[in-house]
Short mmCIF file of all heavy atoms in Angstrom, two decimals:
data_model
loop_
_atom_site.label_atom_id
_atom_site.label_comp_id
_atom_site.label_asym_id
_atom_site.label_seq_id
_atom_site.Cartn_x
_atom_site.Cartn_y
_atom_site.Cartn_z
N VAL A 64 -11.10 37.98 -4.92
CA VAL A 64 -9.65 38.17 -4.92
C VAL A 64 -9.03 37.52 -3.69
O VAL A 64 -7.94 36.93 -3.77
CB VAL A 64 -9.30 39.67 -4.99
CG1 VAL A 64 -7.81 39.89 -4.75
CG2 VAL A 64 -9.71 40.26 -6.32
N ILE A 65 -9.71 37.59 -2.56
CA ILE A 65 -9.11 37.13 -1.30
C ILE A 65 -9.80 35.90 -0.69
O ILE A 65 -9.39 35.43 0.36
CB ILE A 65 -9.08 38.28 -0.27
CG1 ILE A 65 -10.49 38.90 -0.03
CG2 ILE A 65 -8.13 39.37 -0.72
CD1 ILE A 65 -11.30 38.20 0.99
N ASN A 66 -10.81 35.36 -1.36
CA ASN A 66 -11.57 34.25 -0.77
C ASN A 66 -10.70 33.06 -0.37
O ASN A 66 -10.88 32.46 0.69
CB ASN A 66 -12.66 33.77 -1.74
CG ASN A 66 -13.90 34.64 -1.66
OD1 ASN A 66 -14.01 35.51 -0.82
ND2 ASN A 66 -14.83 34.41 -2.58
N ASP A 67 -9.75 32.69 -1.23
CA ASP A 67 -8.90 31.53 -0.94
C ASP A 67 -7.97 31.78 0.24
O ASP A 67 -7.39 30.84 0.79
CB ASP A 67 -8.09 31.11 -2.16
CG ASP A 67 -8.91 30.33 -3.17
OD1 ASP A 67 -10.06 29.96 -2.84
OD2 ASP A 67 -8.41 30.09 -4.28
N CYS A 68 -7.79 33.04 0.61
CA CYS A 68 -6.93 33.38 1.75
C CYS A 68 -7.74 33.59 3.03
O CYS A 68 -7.16 33.88 4.08
CB CYS A 68 -6.12 34.64 1.45
SG CYS A 68 -4.63 34.30 0.50
N HIS A 69 -9.05 33.47 2.93
CA HIS A 69 -9.86 33.66 4.15
C HIS A 69 -9.59 32.50 5.10
O HIS A 69 -9.60 31.33 4.69
CB HIS A 69 -11.34 33.73 3.81
CG HIS A 69 -12.17 34.33 4.89
ND1 HIS A 69 -12.39 33.69 6.08
CD2 HIS A 69 -12.79 35.54 4.99
CE1 HIS A 69 -13.14 34.45 6.86
NE2 HIS A 69 -13.39 35.59 6.23
N PRO A 70 -9.34 32.78 6.38
CA PRO A 70 -9.03 31.71 7.34
C PRO A 70 -10.11 30.63 7.42
O PRO A 70 -9.82 29.48 7.76
CB PRO A 70 -8.91 32.45 8.68
CG PRO A 70 -8.57 33.85 8.31
CD PRO A 70 -9.27 34.12 7.01
N ASP A 71 -11.35 31.00 7.10
CA ASP A 71 -12.45 30.02 7.16
C ASP A 71 -12.66 29.28 5.85
O ASP A 71 -13.65 28.56 5.70
CB ASP A 71 -13.76 30.73 7.57
CG ASP A 71 -13.72 31.26 8.98
OD1 ASP A 71 -12.94 30.71 9.78
OD2 ASP A 71 -14.45 32.22 9.28
N ASN A 72 -11.75 29.47 4.90
CA ASN A 72 -11.95 28.87 3.58
C ASN A 72 -10.78 27.99 3.16
O ASN A 72 -10.44 27.90 1.99
CB ASN A 72 -12.18 29.96 2.52
CG ASN A 72 -12.77 29.40 1.24
OD1 ASN A 72 -13.42 28.36 1.25
ND2 ASN A 72 -12.56 30.09 0.14
N LYS A 73 -10.16 27.33 4.13
CA LYS A 73 -9.04 26.44 3.80
C LYS A 73 -9.49 25.26 2.95
O LYS A 73 -8.69 24.66 2.22
CB LYS A 73 -8.38 25.94 5.07
CG LYS A 73 -7.59 27.02 5.81
CD LYS A 73 -6.84 26.44 7.00
CE LYS A 73 -5.99 27.51 7.68
NZ LYS A 73 -5.22 26.97 8.81
N ILE A 74 -10.77 24.92 3.00
CA ILE A 74 -11.28 23.79 2.24
C ILE A 74 -11.07 23.99 0.74
O ILE A 74 -10.79 23.05 0.00
CB ILE A 74 -12.77 23.50 2.56
CG1 ILE A 74 -13.21 22.17 1.96
CG2 ILE A 74 -13.65 24.63 2.10
CD1 ILE A 74 -12.58 20.98 2.61
N SER A 75 -11.17 25.25 0.28
CA SER A 75 -10.99 25.51 -1.16
C SER A 75 -9.54 25.24 -1.58
O SER A 75 -9.28 24.79 -2.69
CB SER A 75 -11.38 26.95 -1.51
OG SER A 75 -10.42 27.86 -1.06
N VAL A 76 -8.59 25.50 -0.65
CA VAL A 76 -7.19 25.22 -0.95
C VAL A 76 -6.98 23.71 -1.04
O VAL A 76 -6.28 23.21 -1.92
CB VAL A 76 -6.26 25.82 0.13
CG1 VAL A 76 -4.80 25.57 -0.24
CG2 VAL A 76 -6.52 27.32 0.28
N LEU A 77 -7.61 22.98 -0.12
CA LEU A 77 -7.52 21.51 -0.17
C LEU A 77 -8.07 20.97 -1.48
O LEU A 77 -7.49 20.07 -2.08
CB LEU A 77 -8.28 20.91 1.01
CG LEU A 77 -7.63 20.98 2.38
CD1 LEU A 77 -8.55 20.33 3.41
CD2 LEU A 77 -6.28 20.30 2.38
N GLU A 78 -9.20 21.50 -1.90
CA GLU A 78 -9.82 21.02 -3.14
C GLU A 78 -8.91 21.29 -4.34
O GLU A 78 -8.77 20.45 -5.23
CB GLU A 78 -11.19 21.65 -3.33
CG GLU A 78 -12.23 21.11 -2.34
CD GLU A 78 -13.58 21.79 -2.47
OE1 GLU A 78 -13.72 22.70 -3.33
OE2 GLU A 78 -14.50 21.42 -1.72
N LYS A 79 -8.29 22.48 -4.37
CA LYS A 79 -7.35 22.79 -5.45
C LYS A 79 -6.18 21.81 -5.44
O LYS A 79 -5.75 21.30 -6.48
CB LYS A 79 -6.81 24.21 -5.28
CG LYS A 79 -7.76 25.34 -5.63
CD LYS A 79 -7.11 26.68 -5.33
CE LYS A 79 -8.05 27.85 -5.53
NZ LYS A 79 -8.32 28.13 -6.94
N ALA A 80 -5.66 21.54 -4.23
CA ALA A 80 -4.50 20.66 -4.11
C ALA A 80 -4.85 19.24 -4.54
O ALA A 80 -4.08 18.59 -5.26
CB ALA A 80 -4.00 20.67 -2.67
N LEU A 81 -5.99 18.75 -4.08
CA LEU A 81 -6.38 17.39 -4.42
C LEU A 81 -6.69 17.25 -5.91
O LEU A 81 -6.38 16.23 -6.52
CB LEU A 81 -7.59 16.97 -3.57
CG LEU A 81 -7.31 16.80 -2.07
CD1 LEU A 81 -8.61 16.55 -1.32
CD2 LEU A 81 -6.32 15.68 -1.81
N TYR A 82 -7.31 18.28 -6.47
CA TYR A 82 -7.60 18.25 -7.91
C TYR A 82 -6.30 18.17 -8.70
O TYR A 82 -6.15 17.36 -9.62
CB TYR A 82 -8.39 19.50 -8.32
CG TYR A 82 -8.94 19.42 -9.73
CD1 TYR A 82 -10.23 18.98 -9.97
CD2 TYR A 82 -8.15 19.77 -10.82
CE1 TYR A 82 -10.73 18.89 -11.26
CE2 TYR A 82 -8.63 19.69 -12.11
CZ TYR A 82 -9.93 19.24 -12.33
OH TYR A 82 -10.40 19.16 -13.61
N ASP A 83 -5.35 19.03 -8.31
CA ASP A 83 -4.07 19.06 -9.02
C ASP A 83 -3.33 17.73 -8.88
O ASP A 83 -2.71 17.24 -9.83
CB ASP A 83 -3.21 20.20 -8.44
CG ASP A 83 -1.88 20.33 -9.17
OD1 ASP A 83 -1.87 20.97 -10.26
OD2 ASP A 83 -0.87 19.82 -8.68
N GLN A 84 -3.40 17.14 -7.70
CA GLN A 84 -2.64 15.91 -7.45
C GLN A 84 -3.29 14.67 -8.06
O GLN A 84 -2.60 13.78 -8.53
CB GLN A 84 -2.48 15.71 -5.93
CG GLN A 84 -1.62 14.51 -5.56
CD GLN A 84 -1.36 14.42 -4.07
OE1 GLN A 84 -1.73 15.32 -3.30
NE2 GLN A 84 -0.74 13.35 -3.64
N TYR A 85 -4.63 14.64 -8.04
CA TYR A 85 -5.31 13.40 -8.43
C TYR A 85 -6.11 13.48 -9.73
O TYR A 85 -6.15 12.53 -10.50
CB TYR A 85 -6.24 12.95 -7.31
CG TYR A 85 -5.49 12.60 -6.04
CD1 TYR A 85 -5.64 13.38 -4.89
CD2 TYR A 85 -4.64 11.52 -5.98
CE1 TYR A 85 -4.94 13.07 -3.72
CE2 TYR A 85 -3.94 11.20 -4.83
CZ TYR A 85 -4.10 11.98 -3.70
OH TYR A 85 -3.40 11.67 -2.55
N ILE A 86 -6.77 14.62 -9.96
CA ILE A 86 -7.67 14.69 -11.12
C ILE A 86 -6.92 14.96 -12.41
O ILE A 86 -7.18 14.31 -13.43
CB ILE A 86 -8.76 15.75 -10.90
CG1 ILE A 86 -9.59 15.40 -9.66
CG2 ILE A 86 -9.66 15.86 -12.13
CD1 ILE A 86 -10.29 14.06 -9.74
N GLU A 87 -6.00 15.91 -12.42
CA GLU A 87 -5.29 16.24 -13.66
C GLU A 87 -4.58 15.02 -14.26
O GLU A 87 -4.66 14.79 -15.47
CB GLU A 87 -4.32 17.39 -13.44
CG GLU A 87 -5.04 18.73 -13.27
CD GLU A 87 -4.11 19.91 -13.34
OE1 GLU A 87 -2.89 19.70 -13.52
OE2 GLU A 87 -4.60 21.04 -13.21
N PRO A 88 -3.90 14.19 -13.46
CA PRO A 88 -3.29 12.98 -14.05
C PRO A 88 -4.34 12.03 -14.63
O PRO A 88 -4.09 11.37 -15.64
CB PRO A 88 -2.56 12.33 -12.87
CG PRO A 88 -2.27 13.46 -11.94
CD PRO A 88 -3.46 14.36 -12.06
N LEU A 89 -5.51 11.95 -13.98
CA LEU A 89 -6.56 11.05 -14.47
C LEU A 89 -7.07 11.47 -15.84
O LEU A 89 -7.46 10.62 -16.65
CB LEU A 89 -7.74 11.02 -13.49
CG LEU A 89 -7.52 10.29 -12.16
CD1 LEU A 89 -8.76 10.43 -11.29
CD2 LEU A 89 -7.20 8.83 -12.38
N GLU A 90 -7.09 12.79 -16.10
CA GLU A 90 -7.60 13.27 -17.38
C GLU A 90 -6.75 12.81 -18.56
O GLU A 90 -7.19 12.80 -19.70
CB GLU A 90 -7.67 14.80 -17.36
CG GLU A 90 -8.72 15.34 -16.40
CD GLU A 90 -8.73 16.85 -16.33
OE1 GLU A 90 -7.64 17.44 -16.47
OE2 GLU A 90 -9.80 17.43 -16.14
N LYS A 91 -5.53 12.39 -18.28
CA LYS A 91 -4.61 11.97 -19.34
C LYS A 91 -4.61 10.46 -19.55
O LYS A 91 -3.96 9.96 -20.46
CB LYS A 91 -3.19 12.44 -19.01
CG LYS A 91 -3.08 13.95 -18.85
CD LYS A 91 -1.72 14.36 -18.32
CE LYS A 91 -1.65 15.85 -18.06
NZ LYS A 91 -0.36 16.27 -17.47
N LEU A 92 -5.34 9.73 -18.70
CA LEU A 92 -5.34 8.28 -18.79
C LEU A 92 -6.41 7.77 -19.75
O LEU A 92 -7.48 8.35 -19.87
CB LEU A 92 -5.57 7.66 -17.41
CG LEU A 92 -4.47 7.86 -16.37
CD1 LEU A 92 -4.89 7.23 -15.05
CD2 LEU A 92 -3.15 7.26 -16.84
N ALA A 93 -6.14 6.68 -20.40
CA ALA A 93 -7.12 6.00 -21.24
C ALA A 93 -7.00 4.51 -20.96
O ALA A 93 -6.51 3.74 -21.77
CB ALA A 93 -6.87 6.32 -22.70
N LEU A 94 -7.43 4.12 -19.77
CA LEU A 94 -7.29 2.72 -19.35
C LEU A 94 -8.61 1.98 -19.46
O LEU A 94 -9.68 2.55 -19.28
CB LEU A 94 -6.80 2.67 -17.89
CG LEU A 94 -5.47 3.38 -17.60
CD1 LEU A 94 -5.16 3.32 -16.12
CD2 LEU A 94 -4.34 2.73 -18.40
N SER A 95 -8.54 0.72 -19.74
CA SER A 95 -9.76 -0.08 -19.81
C SER A 95 -10.09 -0.72 -18.47
O SER A 95 -11.18 -1.24 -18.27
CB SER A 95 -9.60 -1.18 -20.87
OG SER A 95 -8.48 -2.00 -20.56
N ASP A 96 -9.16 -0.68 -17.55
CA ASP A 96 -9.36 -1.27 -16.21
C ASP A 96 -9.68 -0.15 -15.23
O ASP A 96 -8.82 0.66 -14.90
CB ASP A 96 -8.08 -2.00 -15.79
CG ASP A 96 -8.16 -2.52 -14.35
OD1 ASP A 96 -9.28 -2.57 -13.80
OD2 ASP A 96 -7.10 -2.86 -13.80
N TRP A 97 -10.93 -0.09 -14.75
CA TRP A 97 -11.29 1.05 -13.89
C TRP A 97 -10.56 1.00 -12.55
O TRP A 97 -10.32 2.03 -11.93
CB TRP A 97 -12.80 1.15 -13.70
CG TRP A 97 -13.53 -0.03 -13.14
CD1 TRP A 97 -14.25 -0.94 -13.85
CD2 TRP A 97 -13.66 -0.40 -11.77
NE1 TRP A 97 -14.80 -1.87 -13.01
CE2 TRP A 97 -14.46 -1.55 -11.72
CE3 TRP A 97 -13.18 0.12 -10.57
CZ2 TRP A 97 -14.79 -2.20 -10.53
CZ3 TRP A 97 -13.50 -0.51 -9.38
CH2 TRP A 97 -14.30 -1.65 -9.37
N ARG A 98 -10.18 -0.19 -12.11
CA ARG A 98 -9.38 -0.25 -10.88
C ARG A 98 -8.02 0.42 -11.07
O ARG A 98 -7.49 1.06 -10.17
CB ARG A 98 -9.20 -1.70 -10.43
CG ARG A 98 -10.46 -2.32 -9.85
CD ARG A 98 -10.22 -3.76 -9.43
NE ARG A 98 -11.41 -4.36 -8.84
CZ ARG A 98 -12.43 -4.85 -9.52
NH1 ARG A 98 -12.41 -4.79 -10.84
NH2 ARG A 98 -13.46 -5.38 -8.90
N GLY A 99 -7.48 0.28 -12.28
CA GLY A 99 -6.21 0.93 -12.59
C GLY A 99 -6.33 2.44 -12.58
O GLY A 99 -5.41 3.15 -12.16
N ILE A 100 -7.48 2.95 -13.03
CA ILE A 100 -7.70 4.39 -13.03
C ILE A 100 -7.72 4.93 -11.60
O ILE A 100 -7.27 6.04 -11.34
CB ILE A 100 -9.02 4.73 -13.75
CG1 ILE A 100 -8.93 4.32 -15.23
CG2 ILE A 100 -9.35 6.22 -13.63
CD1 ILE A 100 -10.21 4.51 -16.01
N LEU A 101 -8.21 4.13 -10.67
CA LEU A 101 -8.37 4.60 -9.29
C LEU A 101 -7.11 4.47 -8.44
O LEU A 101 -7.08 4.97 -7.31
CB LEU A 101 -9.51 3.83 -8.61
CG LEU A 101 -10.92 4.01 -9.21
CD1 LEU A 101 -11.90 3.08 -8.53
CD2 LEU A 101 -11.36 5.46 -9.06
N THR A 102 -6.09 3.82 -8.95
CA THR A 102 -4.92 3.54 -8.11
C THR A 102 -4.19 4.80 -7.64
O THR A 102 -3.48 4.77 -6.63
CB THR A 102 -3.90 2.65 -8.83
OG1 THR A 102 -3.57 3.24 -10.10
CG2 THR A 102 -4.47 1.26 -9.06
N ASN A 103 -4.36 5.92 -8.33
CA ASN A 103 -3.67 7.14 -7.95
C ASN A 103 -4.37 7.90 -6.81
O ASN A 103 -3.81 8.84 -6.25
CB ASN A 103 -3.55 8.07 -9.18
CG ASN A 103 -2.65 9.25 -8.93
OD1 ASN A 103 -1.55 9.09 -8.42
ND2 ASN A 103 -3.12 10.45 -9.25
N LEU A 104 -5.60 7.51 -6.51
CA LEU A 104 -6.38 8.23 -5.49
C LEU A 104 -5.90 7.86 -4.08
O LEU A 104 -5.24 6.83 -3.88
CB LEU A 104 -7.86 7.89 -5.63
CG LEU A 104 -8.54 8.34 -6.92
CD1 LEU A 104 -9.98 7.85 -6.95
CD2 LEU A 104 -8.49 9.84 -7.08
N PRO A 105 -6.24 8.71 -3.08
CA PRO A 105 -5.92 8.35 -1.68
C PRO A 105 -6.49 6.98 -1.36
O PRO A 105 -7.60 6.65 -1.77
CB PRO A 105 -6.62 9.45 -0.87
CG PRO A 105 -6.75 10.61 -1.81
CD PRO A 105 -6.94 10.01 -3.17
N LYS A 106 -5.75 6.17 -0.61
CA LYS A 106 -6.13 4.78 -0.37
C LYS A 106 -7.53 4.61 0.20
O LYS A 106 -8.30 3.75 -0.27
CB LYS A 106 -5.10 4.11 0.55
CG LYS A 106 -3.70 4.00 -0.05
CD LYS A 106 -3.70 3.18 -1.33
CE LYS A 106 -2.30 3.07 -1.91
NZ LYS A 106 -2.30 2.36 -3.22
#
């Protein structure tokens, strides 16, 4: 219940944020150019 709020577990919040920002949009793509698929990721 409280793991994500533990001061030593900020990494889990980062993973949730990055997944939401980068992975969910990728799941909707159907591109044939793999470089195009990667353009949304951090540089």
Side-chain angles (χ1 to χ4, degrees):
V64 170
I65 55 86
N66 278 353
D67 282 351
C68 277
H69 198 290
D71 294 335
N72 196 25
K73 289 185 177 182
I74 190 69
S75 74
V76 183
L77 284 180
E78 288 177 0
K79 285 176 186 287
L81 292 173
Y82 190 94
D83 182 82
Q84 184 174 354
Y85 296 113
I86 299 301
E87 287 192 0
L89 288 177
E90 292 177 327
K91 301 172 184 176
L92 294 177
L94 302 177
S95 58
D96 174 16
W97 57 259
R98 286 180 179 80
I100 296 176
L101 296 174
T102 54
N103 190 48
L104 295 176
K106 296 300 180 185

